[in-house]
Amino acid sequence: MTSFATGRMLLTPADRDGPARAERLRRLDLGERPDASFDSFDAFADKVAEVTASPFSMVNFIDENRQFFAGLHTPAGNRGGKDIGAVAAGGNRYMARDHGYCPHVVVRRKALVLDDVCDYPRFAGNPVVDDIGVRSYLGAPLIDRTGIALGTVCAVDTVPRPWGRAGLDTIKSLAQELVRQIDHREGYRHP
């Protein structure tokens, strides 16, 4: 658990795989600096938003200390990240590790469906609820061929959403599709 500047306690899970994930992200050249491939991650985030009919979607890589939005879709089309409270530094879009729900997905290594985040005390107090207006979340882990959860693909809305089983199946399928692209980037071919 960590304490946020406002004094509320955040229940961000302990991340024992953080160092291995950070090393794997470095080997894949993901999360350190933007490059031409991040355009493809933005395009993938656009696809997630379209498929889920969500105003916000992200491709998110998580190291030990922060989240990096390699792919970002916002209603205003702002790729800088201000719409989601991300800090832009050197062309990168970062957010603290204890903001949002993606760190939970990575640590759990399972998809997370929150029809209304306010129904869950553990998640209702997250800064993204007040700062961005997040009310619903749908995310799945990006588990690569080595078994490391690199990050997430997620859809977010500012109103409660009954994602249902169809939403869960959709986000998991999108995550698998993106993992195949990441593996292909590394030169690995799926059988």
Side-chain angles (χ1 to χ4, degrees), residues 72-153:
L72 179 62
H73 174 90
T74 67
N78 175 1
R79 300 281 191 198
K82 283 194 264 182
D83 295 8
I84 60 164
V87 175
N92 291 330
R93 303 166 287 205
Y94 295 106
M95 183 180 282
R97 193 179 166 283
D98 59 1
H99 285 52
Y101 311 107
C102 292
H104 295 270
V105 172
V106 167
V107 170
R108 291 169 25 130
R109 301 173 55 85
K110 293 181 183 177
L112 178 63
V113 179
L114 300 171
D115 295 340
D116 186 342
V117 299
C118 294
D119 288 343
Y120 304 89
R122 176 179 191 169
F123 299 119
N126 195 289
V128 297
V129 174
D130 294 333
D131 296 350
I132 305 165
V134 171
R135 283 297 299 273
S136 57
Y137 173 89
L138 178 67
L142 299 169
I143 301 174
D144 80 346
R145 66 179 183 81
T146 68
I148 294 176
L150 302 172
T152 66
V153 61

Side-chain angles (χ1 to χ4, degrees), residues 2 11 45 51 59 67 105 111 115 122 128 151 162 183:
T2 57
L11 302 173
V51 169
V59 173
Q67 304 175 64
V105 172
D115 295 340
R122 176 179 191 169
V128 297
D183 286 346

Side-chain angles (χ1 to χ4, degrees), residues 2 6-8 14 16 19 28 42 44 46 54 58 101 108 113-114 134 151 159 163 166 169 178:
T2 57
T6 61
R8 55 182 155 178
R16 292 180 198 93
L28 291 169
D42 281 336
F44 197 86
D46 291 341
S54 299
M58 299 101 185
Y101 311 107
R108 291 169 25 130
V113 179
L114 300 171
V134 171
V159 297
W163 300 106
D169 291 343
L178 186 54

Side-chain angles (χ1 to χ4, degrees), residues 166-177:
L168 177 64
D169 291 343
T170 297
I171 202 70
K172 288 166 71 174
S173 175
L174 288 165
Q176 290 172 348
E177 179 183 338

